[in-house]
Amino acid sequence: MAESADATGSLADDDPSYREAVVDLLAAIAYGEISAFERLAEDAKLAPSLADKVDLATMASGELTKVHALHDRLRALGADPFEAMAPFRDALDEFHRHTAPSDWYESLVKAYVGDGLANDFYREIAAYLDPETRDLVITSMEEGTHAVFVVDRVRAGIADDPRLGGRLALWGRRLMGEALTQAQRVAADRDALTALLAGGVDRPGLDLAALGRMFTRLTERHLARMGELGLDA
Amino acid sequence: MAESADATGSLADDDPSYREAVVDLLAAIAYGEISAFERLAEDAKLAPSLADKVDLATMASGELTKVHALHDRLRALGADPFEAMAPFRDALDEFHRHTAPSDWYESLVKAYVGDGLANDFYREIAAYLDPETRDLVITSMEEGTHAVFVVDRVRAGIADDPRLGGRLALWGRRLMGEALTQAQRVAADRDALTALLAGGVDRPGLDLAALGRMFTRLTERHLARMGELGLDA
């Protein structure tokens, strides 16, 4: 994997379609973080205590502070960050509109599961990037200490009210379903980004079997996260 | 000033009323930043463009990231940060409830004027603190690059529609009035904090004339900020 990625080191300069794919990817991640900030800041209002609110607001701020490095890189690639993000706004806004949490626990599960899923997906893609872009993507994904806070809160909530577990398990499935729906929509629209996964003349890519394995890995990690929260997925 | 502050270096340990005042001060600043995060994140929804939204969201995140150092210091002083912040919630929440911006420009002016006023006030107080606490307070106040962004946007708005200047000038006066109202409320409730300004046996403080000069300085800086925005105060 490291070998194939190193071979693409200067592709952003030499290969217009690779550059286009990288611009798409960084822009999608950046807008994803902006919209995550908005949702988390909004969901923080549902917090049952000021301490919980501060924890969720800290997650929100963490998302936003990573946007600026992505924008800088987009500018270095000659792209306008806001133009580059425009094609991804509908899909991400739709995702959030269809998954507005109805209570504090749903917002916690969404923050944990949604963030985890996005991070897993971008980490999978990172393997097909030149080292510099890959480092930037991995840095953008770094998780803070918030995971522990979410797991503690959700497990405590289920211990208090076992019916909550059933509702949140359904919620987790719905989050996964909506994420896949919107990801397919983006894939259908953005040829360069899709081609990044499929590979090119100079770049190794995924055949259908490998793509299938990738989705299996993403699903398994999703199930593992649900398990950490104490939920049947 | 440096001399008097150095003389109070270990007062947080030796003098219970000084410690109480420092706990109050740090807690008030911390809750001020949490509530500023909430308001700025909310006001970001009013942004006319995604770029403007990101700028305001960045200001919001900047406020929140400073909360954690204040909480750490409160814990080091043996206080629970959330208990310590509780007495300041009503006054700050009231301030924000009475100054909910009705449009994007009001939110910009509020962010600029409100942040500036709070920072000036805490800087004045910082002179009466031990060096360690003073450094923490000054760091919490450090402004980012957002000031330029706000000034540009407000000046451009007034250039487009000169009537906006009159409305925002009134808005600035209202912000100052509400801030003073809530500050007086806090001063009436929190003896230790008020006593910090008045001084103590081992600490120099402000007499009434000096307090008057301090308010004159705060007002002058408020007027200067309004002027920078192109507003008659």
Side-chain angles (χ1 to χ4, degrees), chain B residues 49-94:
Chain B
S49 75
L50 184 57
D52 285 325
K53 184 185 281 186
V54 171
D55 282 335
L56 212 62
T58 300
M59 286 178 71
S61 297
E63 294 286 344
L64 199 85
T65 50
K66 294 180 287 189
V67 167
H68 298 280
L70 294 164
H71 281 186
D72 288 344
R73 180 70 186 142
L74 284 166
R75 286 192 195 94
L77 288 167
D80 175 272
F82 292 93
E83 281 174 26
M85 292 191 298
F88 303 100
R89 291 182 67 172
D90 279 352
L92 280 153
D93 291 352
E94 279 289 290

Side-chain angles (χ1 to χ4, degrees), chain A residues 203-218:
Chain A
R203 290 193 315 276
L206 291 171
D207 57 20
L208 271 182
L211 203 63
R213 286 193 295 275
M214 185 182 101
F215 275 102
T216 303
R217 283 193 297 276
L218 291 175

Side-chain angles (χ1 to χ4, degrees), chain A residues 38 42 45 53 58 68, chain B residues 38 42 45 53 57-58 68:
Chain A
E38 290 189 83
E42 185 71 22
K45 293 179 191 167
K53 184 185 281 187
T58 300
H68 298 279
Chain B
E38 289 190 83
E42 184 72 22
K45 292 180 190 166
K53 184 185 281 186
T58 300
H68 298 280

Side-chain angles (χ1 to χ4, degrees), chain B residues 112-173:
Chain B
Y112 188 71
V113 163
D115 203 39
L117 199 54
N119 287 0
D120 283 347
F121 178 64
Y122 294 133
R123 270 198 210 94
E124 291 278 351
I125 287 195
Y128 302 93
L129 299 171
D130 62 277
E132 194 184 349
T133 309
R134 187 174 57 220
D135 287 350
L136 178 60
V137 168
I138 297 291
T139 307
S140 306
M141 297 297 113
E142 256 168 31
E143 285 169 57
T145 52
H146 61 257
V148 179
F149 135 76
V150 172
V151 171
D152 285 353
R153 295 296 194 293
V154 172
R155 284 186 168 267
I158 296 170
D160 279 354
D161 175 10
R163 284 170 310 172
L164 181 64
R167 178 159 66 84
L168 293 180
L170 279 175
W171 176 243
R173 275 204 282 280

Side-chain angles (χ1 to χ4, degrees), chain A residues 122-143:
Chain A
Y122 294 133
R123 270 197 211 95
E124 289 279 351
I125 287 194
Y128 304 93
L129 299 171
D130 61 276
E132 193 183 348
T133 309
R134 187 174 56 220
D135 287 349
L136 178 59
V137 168
I138 298 291
T139 307
S140 306
M141 296 298 113
E142 257 168 32
E143 283 168 60

